[in-house]
Amino acid sequence: MGQPKSLTTIMADVKNKERRRKLHQELKSQKRKEKKDRKKKRIKEEKELGDDAPPKKVPKTIESTRIHDETLVDPNDDEIIADERSDKLQTYFDRIREPKVLLTTSVDATLASIRFIEDWMNCIPNSERRDRNKLDLKSVVSQATQQDITDIIIVNEDRKKPNRITIAHLPDGPTACFKLSSYKPSSMIKGHGTATSHKPEIVLNNFSTRLGHSVARMLAAIFPFDPQFQGRNCVTFHNQRDFIFFRFHRYIFKSKQKVSLQELGPRFTLKLLWLKDNVIDSELPEYEWTYKRREMNKNRRKFQL
């Protein structure tokens, strides 16, 4: 006698759609039961064996199988520390210049871009919005530099929706441009809280390459360097597979052991398009890095940030 056929093999031979659907449900139920049994067995072994129990298996994901890149760095490396001390953002990290941020739009922007800016300004202390009107970019940067603005953020739009953000550190750069997607206003987030004027804490997660460090430092430099912990506000830039997820939360202490998060909003996703070492209106065409879709998307396990 041959071995009994598995449900998967049986399903391949079944022509009736309704019968296949029922078999598929049975297969899913069987897999859930097997997974539950394995978990119970593992917990029992851990209790019986204690420290001698076999280690937990690490799930195989795109992140865990990431291809090693020569640009991956250790943040405590002496060379990295020396490079960061000599870059144009060091005045912020030395606390010489307090961040002062100007947010504006592209020429002839619609209400959608203005609302996005006003929503994001709730997260950025010491920021202001100005109408672009018909001013060219060079005039905007020149006026901002004269008024001791440290960073300028320009929101571009396409088809009456914000789709791109450019962040420039003044007066000499660097400048980075990001694609903006998955924007959800604070008012659309279920159970959202109301932001206070406290300076938030900043969390920069998973920026592990030289390029990632440069981008993370730029993002950090638009927020004050002395957070007010009593406000319990927290801004997060989480990098995953070169997509940067922005979230703004307040953490709430329910007891000495339990803490919960309340999202304040907005939420959106950024993807780096290019990075320049100079200021945005510079005529120098050199880019430190540009996103090349065909080249960089060949291998899904290789990341840039």
Side-chain angles (χ1 to χ4, degrees), residues 81-267:
I81 293 170
D83 287 347
E84 289 177 350
R85 282 178 180 167
S86 61
D87 72 10
K88 296 175 182 178
L89 294 166
Q90 193 56 33
T91 53
Y92 164 81
F93 290 96
D94 287 339
R95 305 192 175 193
I96 296 171
R97 295 179 73 198
E98 181 78 20
K100 188 178 177 184
V101 183
L102 171 67
L103 293 98
T104 189
T105 62
S106 54
V107 177
D108 296 328
T110 61
L111 194 59
S113 293
I114 295 170
R115 283 176 176 166
F116 170 78
I117 287 175
E118 289 175 344
D119 208 11
W120 199 16
M121 281 174 62
N122 293 328
C123 320
I124 309 174
N126 204 19
S127 61
E128 61 175 299
R129 178 183 71 83
R130 291 186 196 168
D131 293 330
R132 175 78 174 269
N133 298 322
K134 298 292 183 180
L135 277 178
D136 64 341
L137 197 54
K138 199 165 187 175
S139 300
V140 172
V141 172
S142 176
Q143 290 180 16
T145 305
Q146 290 171 11
Q147 294 167 12
D148 202 30
I149 299 290
T150 61
D151 296 272
I152 184 168
I153 300 174
I154 300 170
V155 178
N156 292 84
E157 63 178 48
D158 182 41
R159 298 178 184 179
K160 299 184 179 181
K161 288 185 179 180
N163 74 324
R164 191 169 294 195
I165 291 175
T166 305
I167 302 175
H169 187 71
L170 302 180
D172 301 317
T175 304
C177 182
F178 302 88
K179 178 185 175 183
L180 170 67
S181 61
S182 305
Y183 166 54
K184 194 168 188 178
S186 303
S187 57
M188 298 286 288
I189 297 172
K190 188 177 179 180
H192 72 91
T194 303
T196 61
S197 58
H198 294 92
K199 297 175 183 178
E201 302 168 54
I202 310 300
V203 177
L204 300 163
N205 189 26
N206 206 26
F207 293 90
S208 54
T209 64
R210 278 184 175 269
L211 177 64
H213 273 238
S214 300
V215 172
R217 284 168 68 83
M218 276 199 73
L219 296 172
I222 64 177
F223 294 91
F225 37 67
D226 51 346
Q228 296 171 319
F229 297 103
Q230 64 270 27
R232 294 174 282 111
N233 293 342
C234 182
V235 166
T236 303
F237 290 97
H238 173 74
N239 173 46
Q240 186 171 359
R241 303 180 190 180
D242 291 341
F243 288 93
I244 303 170
F245 298 91
F246 174 88
R247 297 292 185 270
F248 185 33
H249 290 96
R250 176 185 295 119
Y251 50 90
I252 301 168
F253 295 102
K254 292 190 171 181
S255 67
K256 289 184 178 180
Q257 289 80 28
K258 290 186 178 181
V259 181
S260 65
L261 288 175
Q262 180 185 33
E263 189 168 359
L264 306 178
R267 67 169 71 154

Side-chain angles (χ1 to χ4, degrees), residues 26-44 57 59:
E26 288 177 24
L27 180 63
K28 285 177 71 176
S29 177
Q30 181 182 318
K31 286 182 177 180
R32 279 197 298 268
K33 187 176 182 302
E34 289 172 357
K35 186 178 179 181
K36 196 174 180 180
D37 291 341
R38 288 196 302 269
K39 187 176 180 181
K40 282 182 179 178
K41 184 180 177 182
R42 189 177 70 246
I43 292 170
K44 188 178 178 181
K57 292 182 179 179

